[in-house]
Amino acid sequence: MSDPTEPDPAGEGIPPAAAEPVVRRRNATRLSLVWIVPIVAVVVGASLLINTLMQAGPHVMIEFRTAEGLEPGKTEVRYKEVVVGRVEAVSLSDDRKRVQVGVRLDRAVSNMAVEDTNFWVVRPRIGMAGISGLNTLLSGAYIGVDAGNSTRSRKHFVGLEAPPFVLRNEPGRSFVLRAPDLGSLDVGSPVYYRRTRVGRVVGYTLDPVNDELTVQVFIESPYEPLVTQQARFWNASGLDLQLNASGLTLNAQTVSSVIAGGIAFERLPGSEGLAAAPAGTRFYLFDDRKAALAPPDGPALTIRMVFDQSVRGLSTGAPVDFLGIELGTVQSMQLLYDARTQRYPMEVTADIYPLRLGKVRNAMLQGAPAGGAADIRFLKQLVDSGLRAQLRTGNLLTSQQYVALDFTPRTPQATLDMSNGVPRVPTVPGTLSELQPQIAEIVARLNKVPFDEIGRDLQSTLSQARAAIRELSPEAQKALAEVQRTLGSVQASLQRLDRNLLDESAPVQRNVEQTMTELQRAAQALRALSDYLQRHPETLLRGKRADPPLADREKPR
């Protein structure tokens, strides 16, 4: 074996030369496998980004007073409880007075970003309309949307601090009520029909031109057909407590209306089947149900009545009654001075409504139109027939008085006075006024009776009688003693007679009872003897046969 370290002279054992390396140029278009994963990630990310951009709707900015409950990435934007967007950012405005909330709407509702769209934050609230937003206690606050109908796009909005009281396209109908006073009504106050909530107050304004309030109410579906042209609205706020000549009256709708106020309405009797009133119809808001449902009064006729007596208990608003029908109310009272008689009569002015007499007025006026000369002529006919005004007590408990127009018998002849343009109805004293002079006369006569003198005379007579008894003669005193003894004997005799005759254990009564018993037994014996003689008349000749032995009497058995 040769040593590999020794030289090989023949050249044998020389290893062949290495092949010339070939330089190959790298293909610049060839992508390494290392880049596959990043490229795929980029592609997926880009596709997601494109998809997101294609699905995303418009970005709007909403200003609120506070960002309470709003969280970027979590707070939702809902329309009819459907999520249509989400809050992306919350920041302060440049002046730091308000909060700017960036909202990304869904592409499907991109048409909501228009001018008349309203946004508000839904939180738990307690108001006149009740409690709302309780579900946000668990889910958190969210932004509500009332989609507008405008075609002009908008990116910046000022959010509402409270939900709107009427949403667009909400089923129902709005009406306008004219009222002289708002009372305790407020936005959100309920509207009742037969004590059932059917709507709410959505606003009110003061009309300075007509000096009245206009209250906007919204009747929710399906109750809007209940409002017809014959509907009557009245203020049902609080308790309607009246203490007048008719007594104590208390009316209320519901507990909530007592606390928060409300409006109620009804339809006049006989108006069933009428078409529903169109939206925007104007009605009058009455003070109470009685005034709302009263029949049409027609024009009022102002009359005067002068009472020559005290009108204590009569107040403004007291009824004017005609044979039980409330014909009007007292409007004012004024004290006068009569220089001729030097007295102070009271002039009472009242408004009456002759149309409330219905058929009576039509019969007497033969269908003359209401108001003016016709009503005065009608009143004159009544006065000529004996109609007089009289103060009467309507309630003995409250001593409230009212004016009664009635036909009083045996009254002096009088006519309707038209001296100052306002008809003056003649009056007669009230029933209490007639009694007062009579009572005063009786009291005056009683005062004339010398009760003190009579008392003194009686006392003197008794004293004289006592002195006369003390001064009786001995014979008279002896006679009185005999009389007393005789009376004592009579009393003792009566006691004995009562003990012997009337007492249950008296011997006379026992003897009488025994005698009566014996008589009863004798009567029974005679009845038995007469029966035996009828069956055996021969006994009168032969005598009674001996009784059979006991053994023979037992055989037939």
Side-chain angles (χ1 to χ4, degrees), residues 164 314 348 454 529:
L314 184 70
V348 178
I454 294 174
L529 177 61

Side-chain angles (χ1 to χ4, degrees), residues 1-15:
M1 184 173 185
S2 62
D3 186 3
T5 61
E6 295 179 357
D8 186 2
E12 299 179 353
I14 298 174

Side-chain angles (χ1 to χ4, degrees), residues 165-167 169-176 189-191 197-203 215-221 224:
F165 289 95
V166 180
L167 300 177
N169 302 323
E170 181 178 358
R173 201 167 297 171
S174 297
F175 302 96
V176 179
S189 296
V191 178
R197 189 182 186 280
V198 297
R200 58 190 182 274
V201 176
V202 296
V215 181
Q216 294 82 35
V217 298
F218 183 78
I219 305 300
E220 302 166 356
S221 181
E224 66 271 22

Side-chain angles (χ1 to χ4, degrees), residues 251-492:
N251 290 317
Q253 281 291 318
T254 62
V255 176
S256 59
S257 68
V258 173
I259 299 174
I263 293 174
F265 73 94
E266 285 187 18
R267 295 178 295 183
L268 291 178
S271 62
E272 295 80 4
L274 292 180
T281 303
R282 300 174 72 88
F283 296 91
Y284 186 80
L285 182 62
F286 293 90
D287 293 334
D288 50 36
R289 182 176 183 272
K290 180 181 178 181
L293 300 182
D297 294 329
L301 176 63
T302 302
I303 61 173
R304 296 186 302 123
M305 298 160 286
V306 179
F307 296 96
D308 192 13
Q309 64 181 88
S310 172
V311 295
R312 184 180 179 83
L314 184 70
S315 59
T316 302
V320 178
D321 184 283
F322 177 76
L323 299 178
I325 298 176
E326 188 173 326
L327 200 59
T329 55
V330 174
Q331 298 300 317
S332 64
M333 293 179 288
Q334 182 182 6
L335 189 63
L336 304 178
Y337 175 67
D338 189 348
R340 185 176 59 83
T341 59
Q342 295 185 352
R343 294 184 63 85
Y344 303 91
M346 181 67 74
E347 183 186 64
V348 178
T349 305
D351 284 346
I352 63 173
Y353 301 90
L355 277 183
R356 292 184 181 179
L357 296 179
K359 295 181 180 179
V360 175
R361 179 186 177 279
N362 295 333
M364 297 183 68
L365 296 180
Q366 299 178 352
D375 286 339
I376 294 177
R377 181 159 53 89
F378 173 60
L379 186 60
K380 186 177 184 305
Q381 293 180 11
L382 294 177
V383 171
D384 293 341
S385 300
L387 182 74
R388 301 292 184 269
Q390 187 181 42
L391 290 179
R392 293 180 181 175
T393 302
N395 192 303
L396 294 177
L397 181 62
T398 61
S399 299
Q400 294 290 317
Q401 290 192 331
Y402 66 99
V403 178
L405 299 178
D406 203 346
F407 298 96
T408 307
R410 297 186 298 277
T411 55
Q413 187 67 27
T415 58
L416 191 67
D417 184 7
M418 294 292 297
S419 57
N420 65 347
V422 178
R424 175 181 170 179
V425 179
T427 61
V428 293
T431 53
L432 288 178
S433 299
E434 292 178 345
L435 288 177
Q436 286 177 355
Q438 299 177 6
I439 295 174
E441 184 179 359
I442 294 173
V443 171
R445 290 182 178 180
L446 290 176
N447 288 332
K448 293 180 181 178
V449 177
F451 291 105
D452 295 340
E453 185 177 353
I454 294 174
R456 287 194 297 270
D457 293 344
L458 181 60
Q459 187 175 4
S460 176
T461 302
L462 292 176
S463 300
Q464 293 175 1
R466 285 196 296 269
I469 293 173
R470 284 196 299 269
E471 294 177 357
L472 287 176
S473 61
E475 290 77 10
Q477 292 181 358
K478 185 178 179 181
L480 288 176
E482 291 295 333
V483 170
Q484 290 179 353
R485 282 195 296 273
T486 303
L487 292 176
S489 300
V490 171
Q491 185 176 4

